[in-house]
Amino acid sequence: NQYVHSGTVSFSSDGEETTHTGVQARFLTEEAIRFIDGDADKPFFVSLNFTEPHAPFEGLPERLVARYRSVANDVIRAGGASDLVDRGPHTTMPDDHLEQLAQYLAAVSLIDEQVGRLLDALQGRGLLENTLLVYTSDHGLLVGQYGLYGKTNATNPANFYEETIRIPMIVYAPAGSMRGAQARGELVDLLDLHATVLDFASGAEAYDSSYGPGRSLRPLLQGERNTDWRTVQMAERGNLRMITDGRWKLVREHQQDDRQAPLDRWYDLTHPFGERHSVDLPDAAVRGRLMTELERFFGHYETAEHSGRRIWEQPPPNARMRDDLAAN
């Protein structure tokens, strides 16, 4: 029951079941601090993953939820639609949207508090000025946009709305390791994090990240001007793939029968309706560039036996998506 935000929550501790009664986010933060204290003479890596901004949107601390009930309607109002079909009532805007949105906003505030507790703990132990911190997320979330609740699997076929694929990334590093007060505009990716951690952790030692497309963000964090950074962003879910250059977005849906051409949908991210509707084709130069980049990227990094293009042959949980595709 890992998505229960408060009450009695079950965890696995080195394979042994353990429970905690209270607010899950606070417990996870305390465990992270306890781990840091456990062997203070060695460098540490902590991956601290909070589940609070995940459904069900209930059970968050009332003191936080109360802050947002009166303003939730000003954040995201009820209504909205798009070309993509929802996956059922659990993915559309609920009747108690304002309460659920207030709970979601409270979840974000609860995480803010835990980040503060972690920073305080590091500072109090003299570790803050020797620690790299990255605040990010695994994916975005729809909480009413386009009349939907959920992530890429809120629709059938899956969506690649900006709200579901764009995520926060805030980085803190000690003076000398990073140029502060920056806001970078480059397209970065979760795939870059592993190479970045290796880069910072290796010191003067060489490290290898050639196994994948990720690149270390260290030059960007240090304020360097970059002339050869990526100009497009990729994403994939099942048999669907996406590429965007920040203005145009192509979503390519591969068919079960390889003899059938994939279904392409194009979006103009500057359109006043956002991604409510796909749009007419951009000019030939844009189409050619994005389609070529998409095929080149996956042609290089795709693992044939695990390809999302062959989702119909993959084991669960992909089988659930396969069944959805069949129903559609």
Side-chain angles (χ1 to χ4, degrees), residues 229-256:
W229 199 258
R230 66 174 67 96
T231 59
V232 292
Q233 192 82 5
M234 310 285 183
E236 181 181 31
R237 182 178 179 89
N239 61 316
L240 292 102
R241 292 170 174 174
M242 183 281 302
I243 182 172
T244 181
D245 62 3
R247 161 72 190 277
W248 297 103
K249 178 182 292 185
L250 165 63
V251 176
R252 171 161 288 183
E253 181 180 355
H254 290 275
Q255 305 301 302
Q256 184 171 5

Side-chain angles (χ1 to χ4, degrees), residues 3 49 63 71 73 81 106 135 188 191-192 222 232 235 266 273 300 307 309:
Y3 296 126
N49 300 281
R63 63 184 176 83
V71 299
N73 201 44
Y135 179 101
V188 301
L191 294 171
D192 298 324
Q222 292 179 331
V232 292
W266 290 91
F273 286 167
H300 182 75
S307 172
R309 293 187 297 112

Side-chain angles (χ1 to χ4, degrees), residues 143-317:
V143 281
Q145 299 92 333
Y146 303 106
L148 296 165
Y149 263 58
K151 47 187 179 180
T152 58
N153 61 350
T155 58
N156 189 16
N159 69 81
F160 292 93
Y161 293 138
E162 290 293 284
E163 290 86 353
T164 61
I165 63 172
R166 289 178 67 92
I167 57 176
M169 181 177 285
I170 304 170
V171 181
Y172 170 90
S177 297
M178 186 180 79
R179 180 175 180 174
Q182 285 195 94
R184 305 291 306 220
E186 289 87 350
L187 296 167
V188 301
D189 197 282
L190 283 174
L191 294 171
D192 298 324
L193 279 186
H194 194 239
T196 304
V197 171
L198 284 175
D199 194 356
F200 273 93
S202 65
E205 301 295 325
Y207 69 94
D208 179 21
S209 62
S210 62
Y211 53 85
R215 296 179 61 181
S216 174
L217 303 177
R218 189 169 190 168
L220 305 185
L221 297 175
Q222 292 179 331
E224 295 181 15
R225 184 175 182 272
N226 203 296
T227 58
D228 67 343
W229 199 258
R230 66 174 67 96
T231 59
V232 292
Q233 192 82 5
M234 310 285 183
E236 181 181 31
R237 182 178 179 89
N239 61 316
L240 292 102
R241 292 170 174 174
M242 183 281 302
I243 182 172
T244 181
D245 62 3
R247 161 72 190 277
W248 297 103
K249 178 182 292 185
L250 165 63
V251 176
R252 171 161 288 183
E253 181 180 355
H254 290 275
Q255 305 301 302
Q256 184 171 5
D257 186 346
D258 287 337
R259 295 170 296 182
Q260 296 182 1
L263 173 64
D264 287 347
R265 290 187 291 275
W266 290 91
Y267 297 90
D268 179 357
L269 299 184
T270 66
H271 196 284
F273 286 167
E275 296 169 90
R276 185 181 303 172
H277 308 291
S278 58
V279 297
D280 293 334
L281 299 178
D283 63 54
V286 172
R287 295 200 311 273
R289 178 171 61 87
L290 292 185
M291 288 190 292
T292 298
E293 290 279 356
L294 182 73
E295 294 305 317
R296 178 185 297 132
F297 179 88
F298 284 100
H300 182 75
Y301 292 109
E302 178 183 60
T303 303
E305 61 269 28
H306 301 299
S307 172
R309 293 187 297 112
R310 308 304 311 157
I311 191 172
W312 298 273
E313 302 166 6
Q314 304 295 340

Side-chain angles (χ1 to χ4, degrees), residues 39-237:
D39 199 354
D41 62 334
K42 294 182 179 180
F44 59 85
F45 175 85
V46 174
S47 178
L48 179 55
N49 300 281
F50 298 108
T51 65
E52 269 52 50
H54 193 290
F57 302 125
E58 59 185 30
L60 278 304
E62 175 60 24
R63 63 184 176 83
L64 297 176
V65 181
R67 296 180 187 176
Y68 295 109
R69 287 196 178 99
S70 63
V71 299
N73 201 44
D74 298 323
V75 178
I76 301 174
R77 291 181 179 270
S82 73
D83 290 341
L84 299 180
V85 178
D86 63 76
R87 293 182 65 240
H90 64 288
T91 64
T92 56
M93 187 172 287
D95 293 338
D96 61 344
H97 162 64
L98 296 182
E99 175 63 20
Q100 292 207 33
L101 181 56
Q103 294 272 344
Y104 170 80
L105 297 171
V108 177
S109 287
L110 181 61
I111 290 179
D112 287 346
E113 292 183 349
Q114 306 317 304
V115 172
R117 294 176 64 209
L118 186 62
L119 288 167
D120 292 348
L122 292 170
Q123 179 180 343
R125 289 155 176 77
L127 297 171
L128 189 58
E129 293 310 310
N130 192 35
T131 304
L132 173 74
L133 294 101
V134 181
Y135 179 101
T136 188
S137 177
D138 56 341
H139 55 75
L141 190 70
L142 297 163
V143 281
Q145 299 92 333
Y146 303 106
L148 296 165
Y149 263 58
K151 47 187 179 180
T152 58
N153 61 350
T155 58
N156 189 16
N159 69 81
F160 292 93
Y161 293 138
E162 290 293 284
E163 290 86 353
T164 61
I165 63 172
R166 289 178 67 92
I167 57 176
M169 181 177 285
I170 304 170
V171 181
Y172 170 90
S177 297
M178 186 180 79
R179 180 175 180 174
Q182 285 195 94
R184 305 291 306 220
E186 289 87 350
L187 296 167
V188 301
D189 197 282
L190 283 174
L191 294 171
D192 298 324
L193 279 186
H194 194 239
T196 304
V197 171
L198 284 175
D199 194 356
F200 273 93
S202 65
E205 301 295 325
Y207 69 94
D208 179 21
S209 62
S210 62
Y211 53 85
R215 296 179 61 181
S216 174
L217 303 177
R218 189 169 190 168
L220 305 185
L221 297 175
Q222 292 179 331
E224 295 181 15
R225 184 175 182 272
N226 203 296
T227 58
D228 67 343
W229 199 258
R230 66 174 67 96
T231 59
V232 292
Q233 192 82 5
M234 310 285 183
E236 181 181 31
R237 182 178 179 89

